Amino acid sequence: MTDLLGIGASGVRAYQTAIGTTSENIANAGTAGYVRRTTTMNEVAAASRGINGNAPLVASGVVVSGIARESDELRQVAVRSAGADLARSETAVTWLDQIEQALTRSGLSGALTGFFNATRAIAADPSASAPRLAMLDSASGLADAFKGTASQLAQLGRDLDATAGNAVTTLNDLATGLARINDGLSRATPGSTGSAQLLDQRDQILEQMSALSDISVTMDVAGRATVRLGSASGPVFVTPGVDPGKILYSRNVDGAVSYGLRRNGVTQSVSPSGGALAGIADAAQRLAAATTEIDRVATEFVDGVNAVQAAGEDLDGHAGGAMFAIGADAASITVTLTDPRGIAAAAPGGGTRDNANLASFDTLRASGSAEGAVTALVAENGAALSSRRTVAAAQTSIHDGAIAARDQMSGVNLDSEAVDLMRYQQAYQASSRVIQVAREIFQSILNVS
């Protein structure tokens, strides 16, 4: 009789736990990062045996052996890997788009075209003041366009540094959080609800980390994570029982980005191949190339225009003076010629009606190819942007597929949970009925006696 009561009671306890687990699944169906749980049950081994010591006399009920998470590490790895690839492309797309805007917003290409067209307008009447004033106006507008483009590229560099700094800070904070979860898992009871919650948090943090940098992860028997940056041979970032490392960011004067991992007093170089940090490095490279090219075009243009001026004579018969001045970069360009009579349209000794020297501006336009260089730079950046967008679109599909495959196993399906809930309720009621029957039988025995 006591065995019957014990079996019924064990069923009530076990199925009460199973109902609670299923209810938790239903309640968290829309919770990000939640992994479906199942209640693991085992038969209780019989304590007594028959006369011959072999077969059990009676069964002894059921016991809950733990709460299992329906998680597949291979699918989690696929999500992290796809997420790192996508984050790199999306980050690069964001910055390439901003570089394109910086190259076109100030109208540099149009300003160059306007300047050279203004030189041709003077040729019709070299002594007229109106076209000369128009040329100086176009020169001033061109200088502003160069400075505006250079300033916007420089501002992008500062914004890029701020974004990278925030990303590195976030990654370091995630590492600190993962270290705490590792510590919690070392004390949590395996198969418990608390352990499952920590494992959910662990997987969420790992996924967030992979969006910033590609990572390689290994787990110990307690579920504690060891994280390496990059491949399995990369430097250790987080490991159980040890303080996590710290990611460092820097960008040198040439615009090249470098990352380092400082851990236990030692700094190692890190080159992420995925995640936002890799996208930032890609963008920094493109930004540095654009800045260098704009500076080169500006310097060669100024030198070329000033050389044309020096080779001719102005309206007063003097050798032409410099029209522009420039320092170390395009942001420093200025117009130094303020008197329209100083434009050297004539060849030496040609007089006020001569326009022979203006042909040198056409030669400069063709040989210096400032317009073509700016157009090519914009087109090159645009091609890179278009290519990245195409790659990002494909990677989005891959990432979505990886998430769907993971959630197919670990996500909560309300239909199946409803079926389980009904099944466990029926089992709970049946176990309760067993206890009730046992009590009735026991009471009948007492009444007979």
Side-chain angles (χ1 to χ4, degrees):
M1 188 62 60
T2 55
D3 289 337
L4 189 59
L5 284 170
I7 291 171
S10 70
V12 168
R13 288 192 295 268
Y15 289 112
Q16 185 179 34
T17 300
I19 290 172
T21 301
T22 305
S23 300
E24 186 76 6
N25 289 338
I26 294 172
N28 287 280
T31 301
Y34 181 84
V35 175
R36 178 176 179 266
R37 277 85 144 131
T38 57
T39 302
T40 304
M41 303 182 197
N42 293 320
E43 181 184 3
V44 177
S48 59
R49 294 184 177 273
I51 297 175
N52 58 7
N54 294 322
L57 287 175
V58 291
S60 299
V62 65
V63 65
V64 173
S65 58
I67 305 297
R69 294 170 73 245
E70 297 298 312
S71 177
D72 185 332
E73 181 56 24
L74 291 178
R75 297 187 185 189
Q76 294 281 6
V77 170
V79 170
R80 292 197 294 266
S81 178
D85 292 340
L86 177 59
R88 175 176 185 170
S89 293
E90 288 183 334
T91 301
V93 164
T94 297
W95 289 102
L96 286 172
D97 182 61
Q98 293 189 50
I99 291 172
E100 183 176 79
Q101 293 181 43
L103 291 174
T104 58
R105 189 180 292 121
S106 296
L108 178 57
S109 181
L112 281 165
T113 300
F115 175 81
F116 284 114
N117 289 341
T119 65
R120 290 185 173 184
I122 296 177
D125 187 359
S127 62
S129 59
R132 287 173 173 268
L133 284 170
M135 182 176 175
L136 288 187
D137 286 342
S138 67
S140 178
L142 178 56
D144 290 341
F146 267 119
K147 288 190 287 188
T149 301
S151 297
Q152 290 178 52
L153 290 174
Q155 183 59 51
L156 276 185
R158 292 188 288 272
D159 293 343
L160 188 75
D161 289 339
T163 300
N166 291 335
V168 164
T169 298
T170 300
L171 187 55
N172 289 330
D173 290 344
L174 289 172
T176 300
L178 182 59
R180 291 175 181 152
I181 290 173
N182 280 341
D183 183 57
L185 286 170
S186 66
R187 298 193 302 271
T189 302
S192 65
T193 300
S195 175
Q197 291 174 342
L198 287 171
L199 293 174
D200 282 355
Q201 294 172 22
R202 178 204 66 188
D203 289 346
Q204 283 183 285
I205 284 183
L206 290 174
E207 188 170 344
Q208 292 170 27
M209 291 176 74
S210 67
L212 296 170
S213 173
D214 52 326
I215 57 175
S216 176
V217 183
T218 56
M219 311 290 186
D220 63 12
V221 293
R224 300 180 303 175
T226 294
V227 178
R228 292 178 178 270
L229 293 179
S231 65
S233 60
V236 175
F237 187 29
V238 181
T239 191
V242 180
D243 290 338
K246 183 178 181 181
I247 303 296
L248 308 173
Y249 164 83
S250 64
R251 190 166 65 96
N252 63 22
V253 293
D254 296 324
V257 163
S258 62
Y259 298 102
L261 172 60
R262 185 165 183 80
R263 187 166 177 268
N264 297 329
V266 177
T267 301
Q268 295 176 269
S269 177
V270 180
S271 299
S273 60
L277 295 186
I280 287 171
D282 293 342
Q285 184 178 14
R286 180 70 59 179
L287 179 60
T291 301
T292 298
E293 180 65 0
I294 290 297
D295 289 344
R296 182 195 68 79
V297 170
T299 299
E300 291 186 1
F301 172 80
V302 168
D303 291 344
V305 169
N306 288 344
V308 171
Q309 277 286 106
E313 286 184 353
D314 61 19
L315 279 178
D316 297 321
H318 302 140
M323 185 175 294
F324 295 98
I326 191 170
D329 52 40
S332 63
I333 189 172
T334 57
V335 178
T336 55
L337 183 63
T338 58
D339 185 355
R341 296 180 62 83
I343 296 174
T352 60
R353 303 292 298 175
D354 183 53
N355 63 6
N357 194 51
L358 293 174
S360 297
F361 281 110
D362 288 335
T363 302
L364 173 65
R365 186 178 194 178
S367 62
S369 190
E371 294 169 277
V374 172
T375 300
L377 179 59
V378 174
E380 182 182 0
N381 187 84
L385 175 58
S386 177
S387 176
R388 281 287 190 178
R389 281 175 172 160
T390 301
V391 171
Q395 290 172 337
T396 297
S397 298
I398 295 172
H399 186 236
D400 290 346
I403 290 176
R406 179 198 63 187
D407 292 349
Q408 185 177 13
M409 176 177 183
S410 62
V412 176
N413 184 304
L414 291 177
D415 291 337
S416 63
E417 296 299 328
V419 171
D420 285 344
L421 187 61
M422 293 176 61
R423 180 164 58 89
Y424 292 140
Q425 285 175 333
Q426 291 171 353
Y428 179 87
Q429 291 169 355
S431 296
S432 299
R433 180 58 180 160
V434 169
I435 296 175
Q436 183 180 356
V437 169
R439 287 177 176 173
E440 291 173 354
I441 293 173
F442 185 69
Q443 186 61 47
S444 297
I445 293 173
L446 289 177
N447 292 337
V448 170
S449 60

